[in-house]
Amino acid sequence: QGEFNRFTNADPTKPIGNRLNATGELGRSFNFGGLNLTPKLALNATSYDLDQAMSNGSHSATRVLPTFSLDSGLTMERPVHVFDRDLTQTLEPRIQYVRTPFKDQSFLPLFDSAPRDFNQYAIYNENAFTGGDRISDANQASFALSSRLLDPTTGQVRLTATVGQIYRFIAPQVSLPVF
């Protein structure tokens, strides 16, 4: 996956320049009935070419970071009768481990990164930030339990509930500046 962006700004105090971001992933899913296991190795490379110098005096910078993740989940289902309807209830425990080493990124420009909202999708995202300017360091495990009520005829989801938690083995060091 790749992306090239040209960032401009009328405010002369904001950074202006180009960013090239490329991410390669190698992973494989193994399915054993209702159990799935997905090990994955990703390499995220970012290059900046800026119109004005950064805090370290340079007009260019690169960052390359690997990420390893191991995602596992189990899907169990059973028929239930709820609200005078025959439905299928699922119970879906999921665990994901993510490891990304720390790399100082504080000198890099901040064009479009922001903290990711915590929700049932972001709990399994390997990066705590949106955008391409920051890659969060991580040594963490995410745990969640979801349950869905499905219409067995159409497959339509009638209700979904998820509870989850991220356990960080070490405190993340990569952060965004406070304005």
Side-chain angles (χ1 to χ4, degrees):
Q1 179 178 333
E3 174 182 77
F4 173 80
N5 301 101
R6 169 75 183 164
F7 293 95
T8 62
N9 199 312
D11 182 349
T13 65
K14 302 287 184 187
I16 297 171
N18 301 324
R19 181 185 70 202
L20 177 63
N21 193 315
T23 303
E25 295 181 353
L26 181 61
R28 170 87 198 264
S29 291
F30 300 93
N31 296 304
F32 309 99
L35 175 66
N36 61 16
L37 185 66
T38 306
K40 182 170 64 171
L41 183 61
L43 193 62
N44 184 305
T46 307
S47 176
Y48 293 90
D49 181 26
L50 305 173
D51 293 1
Q52 63 270 63
M54 295 178 288
S55 61
N56 66 0
S58 177
H59 286 266
S60 64
T62 59
R63 174 195 61 214
V64 178
L65 274 170
T67 296
F68 169 76
S69 65
L70 181 61
D71 196 352
S72 63
L74 178 64
T75 302
M76 300 172 281
E77 58 182 51
R78 68 178 182 160
V80 294
H81 190 78
V82 180
F83 308 120
D84 266 349
R85 301 183 81 171
D86 289 326
L87 299 169
T88 300
Q89 179 189 20
T90 67
L91 186 63
E92 304 167 38
R94 186 172 168 190
I95 299 173
Q96 179 192 49
Y97 174 75
V98 176
R99 176 73 176 111
T100 304
F102 169 75
K103 185 165 194 167
D104 182 17
Q105 302 164 58
S106 60
F107 63 94
L108 296 175
L110 189 59
F111 290 121
D112 65 354
S113 285
R116 194 173 297 279
D117 291 335
F118 186 79
N119 58 40
Q120 72 266 27
Y121 307 109
I123 191 172
Y124 295 112
N125 200 295
E126 294 158 356
N127 187 7
F129 303 109
T130 63
D133 296 316
R134 297 292 184 271
I135 304 296
S136 58
D137 55 315
N139 185 3
Q140 65 188 37
S142 300
F143 305 90
L145 182 64
S146 298
S147 184
R148 294 182 291 155
L149 290 177
L150 308 168
D151 183 314
T153 307
T154 65
Q156 185 177 15
V157 178
R158 298 293 182 182
L159 178 71
T160 299
T162 301
V163 294
Q165 172 81 34
I166 296 176
Y167 178 78
R168 292 180 171 85
F169 299 105
I170 58 169
Q173 299 176 64
V174 176
S175 62
L176 297 174
V178 178
F179 296 102

